[in-house]
Amino acid sequence: MASNTVQMTFDRLVQLPGVTGAILIDGNGVPVRTNLPANVARIYADRMRPLVILARSMVQDLENGDELSYVRLRTRRQETMVATENEHTIILIQDNRVLDESWRSSVASRRASAL
Amino acid sequence: MSRSSRLSVTETQRKSTPVVKKAVIRSRSYDGDAFVNLFAHRGARDIMILDSHGVPLRSTCSQRRTFVFVSNLKPLLFMARNVVRDLDPSNDITFMRIRSNMGEIHMTLGTDFILIVVQKLRRLRSSSTS
Protein backbone atom coordinates (compact mmCIF):
# COMPACT_ATOMS: atom_id res chain seq x y z
CA MET A 1 0.00 0.00 0.00
CA ALA A 2 2.69 2.50 1.01
CA SER A 3 4.85 1.26 -1.82
CA ASN A 4 2.08 2.01 -4.31
CA THR A 5 1.70 5.51 -2.89
CA VAL A 6 5.41 6.13 -3.21
CA GLN A 7 5.39 4.79 -6.76
CA MET A 8 2.50 7.08 -7.71
CA THR A 9 4.31 10.01 -6.13
CA PHE A 10 7.40 9.09 -8.09
CA ASP A 11 5.41 8.95 -11.33
CA ARG A 12 3.98 12.37 -10.60
CA LEU A 13 7.36 13.88 -9.79
CA VAL A 14 8.89 12.72 -13.05
CA GLN A 15 6.38 14.93 -14.91
CA LEU A 16 7.67 18.10 -13.26
CA PRO A 17 9.34 20.61 -15.59
CA GLY A 18 13.07 20.40 -15.98
CA VAL A 19 13.50 16.96 -14.45
CA THR A 20 16.63 15.41 -15.90
CA GLY A 21 16.83 12.45 -13.54
CA ALA A 22 14.75 10.70 -10.90
CA ILE A 23 15.62 7.80 -8.63
CA LEU A 24 13.43 5.90 -6.18
CA ILE A 25 15.37 4.17 -3.41
CA ASP A 26 13.98 1.72 -0.89
CA GLY A 27 14.99 1.33 2.73
CA ASN A 28 18.04 -0.79 1.97
CA GLY A 29 19.58 1.79 -0.32
CA VAL A 30 18.83 -0.10 -3.51
CA PRO A 31 17.47 1.92 -6.44
CA VAL A 32 14.03 0.53 -7.28
CA ARG A 33 12.96 2.78 -10.13
CA THR A 34 14.91 5.30 -12.15
CA ASN A 35 15.09 6.92 -15.55
CA LEU A 36 18.87 7.17 -15.39
CA PRO A 37 21.32 4.39 -16.24
CA ALA A 38 21.64 1.82 -13.48
CA ASN A 39 25.24 2.60 -12.59
CA VAL A 40 24.58 6.35 -12.40
CA ALA A 41 21.56 5.73 -10.18
CA ARG A 42 23.62 3.48 -7.94
CA ILE A 43 26.32 6.15 -7.61
CA TYR A 44 23.75 8.81 -6.70
CA ALA A 45 22.08 6.51 -4.18
CA ASP A 46 25.36 5.63 -2.51
CA ARG A 47 26.50 9.25 -2.31
CA MET A 48 23.23 10.71 -1.05
CA ARG A 49 22.59 8.12 1.63
CA PRO A 50 25.12 9.38 4.25
CA LEU A 51 24.05 12.95 3.53
CA VAL A 52 20.42 12.14 4.29
CA ILE A 53 21.38 10.23 7.43
CA LEU A 54 23.45 13.15 8.69
CA ALA A 55 20.73 15.68 7.84
CA ARG A 56 18.09 13.61 9.61
CA SER A 57 20.16 13.31 12.78
CA MET A 58 21.04 17.01 12.61
CA VAL A 59 17.37 18.02 12.40
CA GLN A 60 16.52 15.82 15.36
CA ASP A 61 19.42 17.28 17.35
CA LEU A 62 18.43 20.88 16.70
CA GLU A 63 14.76 20.48 17.56
CA ASN A 64 13.24 17.58 19.46
CA GLY A 65 10.32 15.96 17.72
CA ASP A 66 11.17 17.46 14.35
CA GLU A 67 11.48 15.38 11.20
CA LEU A 68 13.36 15.92 7.98
CA SER A 69 11.21 16.57 4.92
CA TYR A 70 13.70 17.08 2.13
CA VAL A 71 17.14 18.39 1.32
CA ARG A 72 17.77 20.59 -1.69
CA LEU A 73 21.26 20.99 -3.10
CA ARG A 74 21.57 23.75 -5.65
CA THR A 75 24.70 23.60 -7.73
CA ARG A 76 25.84 25.67 -10.62
CA ARG A 77 23.97 23.73 -13.28
CA GLN A 78 21.29 21.66 -11.61
CA GLU A 79 19.31 21.31 -8.42
CA THR A 80 19.05 18.01 -6.59
CA MET A 81 16.14 17.35 -4.26
CA VAL A 82 16.42 14.41 -1.87
CA ALA A 83 13.07 13.69 -0.25
CA THR A 84 12.76 11.09 2.47
CA GLU A 85 9.43 9.59 3.40
CA ASN A 86 9.19 6.65 5.81
CA GLU A 87 11.77 4.27 4.42
CA HIS A 88 11.81 5.35 0.80
CA THR A 89 13.93 8.11 -0.66
CA ILE A 90 13.32 10.00 -3.88
CA ILE A 91 16.17 11.83 -5.59
CA LEU A 92 15.12 14.38 -8.18
CA ILE A 93 17.55 16.22 -10.43
CA GLN A 94 16.25 19.37 -12.07
CA ASP A 95 17.78 21.91 -14.40
CA ASN A 96 18.39 25.31 -12.86
CA ARG A 97 17.07 27.45 -15.71
CA VAL A 98 13.83 25.51 -16.20
CA LEU A 99 13.25 25.46 -12.45
CA ASP A 100 13.78 29.20 -12.15
CA GLU A 101 11.49 29.90 -15.10
CA SER A 102 8.71 27.71 -13.71
CA TRP A 103 9.06 29.32 -10.30
CA ARG A 104 8.94 32.80 -11.84
CA SER A 105 5.88 31.95 -13.91
CA SER A 106 4.09 30.49 -10.89
CA VAL A 107 4.88 33.59 -8.84
CA ALA A 108 3.66 35.84 -11.66
CA SER A 109 0.43 33.88 -12.06
CA ARG A 110 -0.20 33.95 -8.33
CA ARG A 111 0.35 37.69 -8.28
CA ALA A 112 -1.98 38.15 -11.25
CA SER A 113 -4.68 36.09 -9.56
CA ALA A 114 -4.27 38.06 -6.35
CA LEU A 115 -4.97 41.35 -8.15
CA MET B 1 28.86 50.68 21.76
CA SER B 2 26.66 47.67 22.30
CA ARG B 3 24.22 47.05 19.46
CA SER B 4 21.06 45.02 19.66
CA SER B 5 18.74 43.66 17.02
CA ARG B 6 15.08 42.83 17.32
CA LEU B 7 13.91 39.73 15.53
CA SER B 8 10.14 40.02 15.82
CA VAL B 9 7.39 41.90 17.62
CA THR B 10 7.05 39.24 20.28
CA GLU B 11 10.72 39.59 21.11
CA THR B 12 10.89 43.34 21.58
CA GLN B 13 11.50 42.83 25.28
CA ARG B 14 14.50 40.60 24.74
CA LYS B 15 17.55 41.90 22.96
CA SER B 16 20.05 39.59 21.37
CA THR B 17 23.58 40.83 20.95
CA PRO B 18 25.26 39.95 17.67
CA VAL B 19 28.34 37.83 18.23
CA VAL B 20 31.19 39.69 16.56
CA LYS B 21 34.34 37.59 16.37
CA LYS B 22 36.27 39.82 14.02
CA ALA B 23 36.41 43.60 13.91
CA VAL B 24 34.83 44.83 10.69
CA ILE B 25 35.05 48.45 9.67
CA ARG B 26 31.72 49.69 8.34
CA SER B 27 30.95 53.09 6.92
CA ARG B 28 27.53 53.11 8.58
CA SER B 29 26.87 51.61 11.96
CA TYR B 30 23.39 50.35 11.07
CA ASP B 31 24.33 48.31 8.00
CA GLY B 32 24.07 45.02 9.82
CA ASP B 33 20.87 46.09 11.48
CA ALA B 34 19.20 46.83 8.15
CA PHE B 35 20.25 43.42 6.90
CA VAL B 36 18.85 41.77 10.01
CA ASN B 37 15.62 43.75 9.87
CA LEU B 38 15.08 42.85 6.24
CA PHE B 39 15.47 39.16 6.95
CA ALA B 40 13.38 39.32 10.10
CA HIS B 41 10.58 40.88 8.09
CA ARG B 42 10.66 37.90 5.75
CA GLY B 43 10.26 35.42 8.56
CA ALA B 44 13.84 34.53 9.32
CA ARG B 45 14.45 33.54 12.91
CA ASP B 46 18.23 33.41 13.06
CA ILE B 47 20.95 34.59 10.72
CA MET B 48 24.57 33.49 10.95
CA ILE B 49 27.53 34.47 8.83
CA LEU B 50 30.54 32.17 8.75
CA ASP B 51 33.79 32.44 6.86
CA SER B 52 34.75 29.85 4.29
CA HIS B 53 36.31 27.59 6.92
CA GLY B 54 33.22 27.51 9.11
CA VAL B 55 34.23 29.97 11.81
CA PRO B 56 31.23 32.10 12.86
CA LEU B 57 31.76 35.80 12.30
CA ARG B 58 28.38 37.32 13.06
CA SER B 59 25.12 36.00 14.36
CA THR B 60 21.77 37.32 15.50
CA CYS B 61 21.25 34.66 18.16
CA SER B 62 23.13 33.89 21.34
CA GLN B 63 26.63 32.51 21.36
CA ARG B 64 25.54 29.12 22.67
CA ARG B 65 22.84 28.75 20.03
CA THR B 66 25.26 29.83 17.34
CA PHE B 67 27.71 27.20 18.50
CA VAL B 68 25.02 24.51 18.45
CA PHE B 69 23.95 25.42 14.94
CA VAL B 70 27.47 25.67 13.57
CA SER B 71 28.63 22.43 15.15
CA ASN B 72 25.64 20.65 13.64
CA LEU B 73 25.64 22.27 10.22
CA LYS B 74 29.34 22.46 9.43
CA PRO B 75 29.86 18.71 8.82
CA LEU B 76 26.67 18.65 6.78
CA LEU B 77 27.89 21.51 4.61
CA PHE B 78 31.25 19.96 3.94
CA MET B 79 29.72 16.55 3.26
CA ALA B 80 27.31 18.12 0.79
CA ARG B 81 30.17 19.87 -0.94
CA ASN B 82 32.09 16.61 -1.17
CA VAL B 83 29.03 14.77 -2.50
CA VAL B 84 28.57 17.30 -5.28
CA ARG B 85 32.26 17.14 -6.13
CA ASP B 86 32.11 13.34 -6.25
CA LEU B 87 29.16 13.28 -8.61
CA ASP B 88 30.55 15.88 -11.01
CA PRO B 89 34.04 17.31 -10.44
CA SER B 90 33.34 20.40 -12.54
CA ASN B 91 30.20 21.25 -10.59
CA ASP B 92 30.03 23.11 -7.30
CA ILE B 93 27.35 23.65 -4.69
CA THR B 94 25.97 27.16 -4.32
CA PHE B 95 22.90 26.83 -2.10
CA MET B 96 21.44 24.24 0.22
CA ARG B 97 18.04 24.00 1.83
CA ILE B 98 16.96 21.62 4.58
CA ARG B 99 13.24 21.46 5.13
CA SER B 100 11.72 19.82 8.17
CA ASN B 101 8.27 19.81 9.68
CA MET B 102 8.78 22.79 11.96
CA GLY B 103 11.36 24.88 10.19
CA GLU B 104 13.71 25.43 7.33
CA ILE B 105 17.43 26.11 7.13
CA HIS B 106 18.91 27.93 4.15
CA MET B 107 22.65 27.87 3.57
CA THR B 108 24.37 29.97 0.95
CA LEU B 109 27.93 28.96 0.14
CA GLY B 110 29.91 31.82 -1.32
CA THR B 111 33.59 31.92 -2.06
CA ASP B 112 34.44 33.94 1.03
CA PHE B 113 31.53 33.33 3.38
CA ILE B 114 28.75 30.98 4.37
CA LEU B 115 25.36 32.48 5.15
CA ILE B 116 22.91 30.46 7.26
CA VAL B 117 19.30 31.58 7.65
CA VAL B 118 17.00 29.64 9.96
CA GLN B 119 13.27 30.02 9.42
CA LYS B 120 10.26 28.76 11.29
CA LEU B 121 7.08 27.69 9.57
CA ARG B 122 3.75 29.17 10.54
CA ARG B 123 2.09 25.92 11.50
CA LEU B 124 2.97 22.28 11.74
CA ARG B 125 3.06 20.52 8.39
CA SER B 126 3.07 16.86 7.62
CA SER B 127 6.05 15.66 5.65
CA SER B 128 5.00 14.74 2.15
CA THR B 129 6.67 14.76 -1.21
CA SER B 130 3.61 15.84 -3.17
Side-chain angles (χ1 to χ4, degrees):
Chain A
M1 203 67 63
S3 179
N4 285 341
T5 306
V6 174
Q7 303 254 353
M8 286 192 296
T9 303
F10 181 84
D11 289 336
R12 198 159 9 104
L13 286 175
V14 176
Q15 315 297 326
L16 288 178
V19 173
T20 58
I23 308 163
L24 175 60
I25 300 161
D26 65 355
N28 300 320
V30 180
V32 175
R33 294 185 56 180
T34 178
N35 60 355
L36 293 168
N39 54 337
V40 176
R42 164 58 74 171
I43 290 172
Y44 265 92
D46 289 345
R47 292 289 185 272
M48 291 299 175
R49 186 177 176 83
L51 185 69
V52 169
I53 291 171
L54 185 60
R56 190 182 287 131
S57 64
M58 183 273 303
V59 164
Q60 284 167 6
D61 283 350
L62 287 177
E63 197 94 19
N64 288 329
D66 209 354
E67 265 188 20
L68 179 74
S69 293
Y70 60 81
V71 177
R72 275 193 180 268
L73 303 172
R74 186 178 176 100
T75 58
R76 258 184 275 168
R77 278 194 295 276
Q78 62 207 15
E79 181 157 332
T80 307
M81 184 187 84
V82 188
T84 66
E85 178 173 1
N86 302 328
E87 295 179 356
H88 294 264
T89 300
I90 296 177
I91 298 178
L92 210 70
I93 304 163
Q94 288 168 291
D95 193 65
N96 266 356
R97 286 190 301 268
V98 183
L99 198 64
D100 288 345
E101 283 169 13
S102 64
W103 183 79
R104 250 182 250 118
S105 61
S106 71
V107 168
S109 63
R110 198 181 313 144
R111 200 171 293 164
S113 66
L115 290 179
Chain B
M1 181 184 293
S2 173
R3 297 186 297 104
S4 63
S5 58
R6 297 182 171 83
L7 296 181
S8 63
V9 179
T10 59
E11 290 179 331
T12 49
Q13 303 302 322
R14 182 176 67 89
K15 299 181 176 181
S16 62
T17 307
V19 180
V20 180
K21 302 264 183 183
K22 186 189 290 183
V24 179
I25 299 175
R26 277 184 261 96
S27 58
R28 297 173 297 183
S29 62
Y30 55 88
D31 275 347
D33 290 338
F35 171 73
V36 169
N37 291 336
L38 173 65
F39 269 90
H41 183 261
R42 299 293 298 263
R45 176 176 169 178
D46 291 317
I47 303 168
M48 282 156 266
I49 298 178
L50 288 65
D51 67 352
S52 55
H53 302 292
V55 180
L57 299 176
R58 294 186 54 133
S59 175
T60 57
C61 54
S62 67
Q63 202 159 3
R64 174 182 299 178
R65 190 169 163 83
T66 300
F67 179 75
V68 168
F69 270 117
V70 170
S71 60
N72 276 283
L73 293 174
K74 195 197 294 188
L76 188 61
L77 274 172
F78 291 144
M79 178 183 278
R81 199 200 307 251
N82 290 335
V83 163
V84 170
R85 289 275 173 77
D86 282 350
L87 293 171
D88 191 354
S90 67
N91 213 353
D92 201 5
I93 189 173
T94 58
F95 186 77
M96 186 177 182
R97 176 148 62 120
I98 298 175
R99 170 76 161 243
S100 61
N101 290 341
M102 299 179 186
E104 210 172 41
I105 300 177
H106 299 182
M107 290 172 272
T108 305
L109 288 89
T111 52
D112 298 328
F113 68 97
I114 296 169
L115 172 69
I116 298 178
V117 178
V118 182
Q119 284 187 316
K120 288 295 172 181
L121 299 182
R122 298 297 180 184
R123 57 184 181 274
L124 207 69
R125 292 175 44 144
S126 62
S127 66
S128 63
T129 56
S130 64

